[in-house]
Amino acid sequence: MDLIVARNREDLVAARRPGTVALVPTMGALHEGHRSLIRQARERADQVVVSIFVNPLQFGPNEDFSRYPRTFDDDLDVCRAEGVDVVFHPGVDDMYPPGRQVSVSAGQMGDVVEGEFRPGHFDGVLTVVLKLFNLVRPDLAVFGEKDAQQLALIRRMVADLDVPVEILGAPTVREPDGLAMSSRNRYLSAEERKVALGLSRALRAGAGRRTPDEIRTAAREELDRNPELKVEYLVLVDPRTFTEVKEPYEGVAVLAVAARVGGTRLIDNVTVTLT
């Protein structure tokens, strides 16, 4: 069956067919990381829907909404190659009709870590994700673990609001040298890309330690070797709440970092288990 491109709600309804539906929400500029999400969805569902929508609600006034990469024709080629059934590509007015007033609040977890540096970001993320759930009506949805706080908040929203969608996380896909794949990597010059590798090196250094303090210290020391990295945060957090873990701590934690390399902001994380 040929790939269907649905550009509005009516197209989306017409494209739906019986069986299990999986949704892969994206903002386009698809790369190998997105392909891994699609493949996981393909394994679980009869119909795979990929949404491509650059969501204005999740960008702050000084962020990169206007220059965020938009590569729709290339994205369609990726979707065809991966056996996607439907691409949902609405316009802003289709997603947010005039007069819209109600949004989803991310609550306390939306104000910490990434949310501290991007106020309102997660409100915008959860609002668009909930709208996509209501429009597509998927049985399951796949998100990347690279956006760990986003994934945690979507799971929280689904639980708190009784949304009947199974949420799956897919492991971070990395370049051979360790750089986490991101649509924003294309902004990096060759020299900036070398600098950006300091993020994954710092996470590996921290992950090799045994206590929260040792993990944070080792990761920070590695970051300090790269003064070109303008670090916004380095945290070791409980994956359920994104609050900092303290000594003593046992269980799974997320070591997360955000930094600017030139004009590009990058995030990355790894999961560690402390016993």
Side-chain angles (χ1 to χ4, degrees):
M1 183 179 292
D2 291 338
L3 176 67
I4 297 171
V5 178
R7 297 182 181 272
N8 52 49
R9 298 161 189 243
E10 293 74 22
D11 290 348
L12 194 58
V13 170
R16 188 179 178 96
R17 67 173 191 259
T20 304
V21 177
L23 171 65
V24 181
T26 83
M27 293 203 299
L30 304 183
H31 50 67
E32 191 62 32
H34 295 108
R35 286 178 182 263
S36 74
L37 306 183
I38 295 169
R39 290 166 189 161
Q40 185 165 330
R42 182 79 277 164
E43 291 175 358
R44 290 285 306 273
D46 301 306
Q47 186 177 42
V48 174
V49 179
V50 171
S51 63
I52 297 177
F53 177 66
V54 184
N55 177 33
L57 292 193
Q58 67 191 69
F59 289 81
N62 298 315
E63 294 184 341
D64 59 349
F65 174 73
S66 61
R67 76 180 188 114
Y68 192 87
R70 292 160 170 85
T71 58
F72 186 64
D73 289 342
D74 291 340
D75 294 343
L76 288 183
D77 289 340
V78 170
C79 289
R80 289 190 185 96
E82 295 299 334
V84 171
D85 299 288
V86 180
V87 168
F88 182 41
H89 183 51
V92 173
D93 288 342
D94 292 300
M95 287 300 293
Y96 302 119
R100 183 193 66 86
Q101 298 184 40
V102 178
S103 296
V104 178
S105 170
Q108 185 175 1
M109 187 166 38
D111 293 332
V112 299
V113 189
E114 186 75 359
E116 180 180 349
F117 289 86
R118 302 184 70 185
H121 168 69
F122 289 118
D123 292 355
V125 170
L126 295 187
T127 297
V128 76
V129 168
L130 185 58
K131 287 177 71 69
L132 288 169
F133 286 171
N134 288 333
L135 289 165
V136 177
R137 293 183 292 133
D139 299 284
L140 58 103
V142 188
F143 296 86
E145 293 175 355
K146 186 175 91 57
D147 296 295
Q149 190 172 2
Q150 171 181 282
L151 178 57
L153 277 161
I154 290 168
R155 285 178 166 147
R156 184 76 266 166
M157 177 183 73
V158 164
D160 288 352
L161 300 183
D162 299 310
V163 182
V165 178
E166 180 185 359
I167 305 301
L168 303 179
T172 300
V173 177
R174 298 182 179 277
E175 302 283 359
D177 57 12
L179 183 66
M181 289 193 175
S182 168
S183 298
R184 290 182 169 92
N185 288 351
R186 66 188 65 202
Y187 298 155
L188 300 171
S189 68
E191 285 303 312
E192 288 172 340
R193 197 182 180 290
K194 293 178 183 177
V195 172
L197 292 175
L199 296 179
S200 56
R201 285 199 300 267
L203 295 178
R204 288 197 301 271
R209 306 297 174 164
R210 304 184 67 177
T211 70
D213 288 346
E214 289 174 351
I215 289 169
R216 281 185 282 255
T217 297
R220 173 57 67 178
E221 288 176 350
E222 184 62 41
L223 290 174
D224 289 345
R225 294 189 180 95
N226 296 271
E228 299 93 339
L229 281 174
K230 306 305 178 185
V231 179
E232 292 187 350
Y233 62 76
L234 171 71
V235 295
L236 184 68
V237 296
D238 184 322
R240 298 163 296 184
T241 63
F242 267 71
T243 55
E244 285 266 12
V245 304
K246 300 177 181 179
E247 308 273 0
Y249 181 87
E250 291 187 0
V252 175
V254 173
L255 180 62
V257 64
R260 292 188 180 274
V261 183
T264 303
R265 186 177 186 275
L266 300 174
I267 63 172
D268 200 354
N269 72 84
V270 293
T271 299
V272 296
T273 301
L274 295 92
T275 58

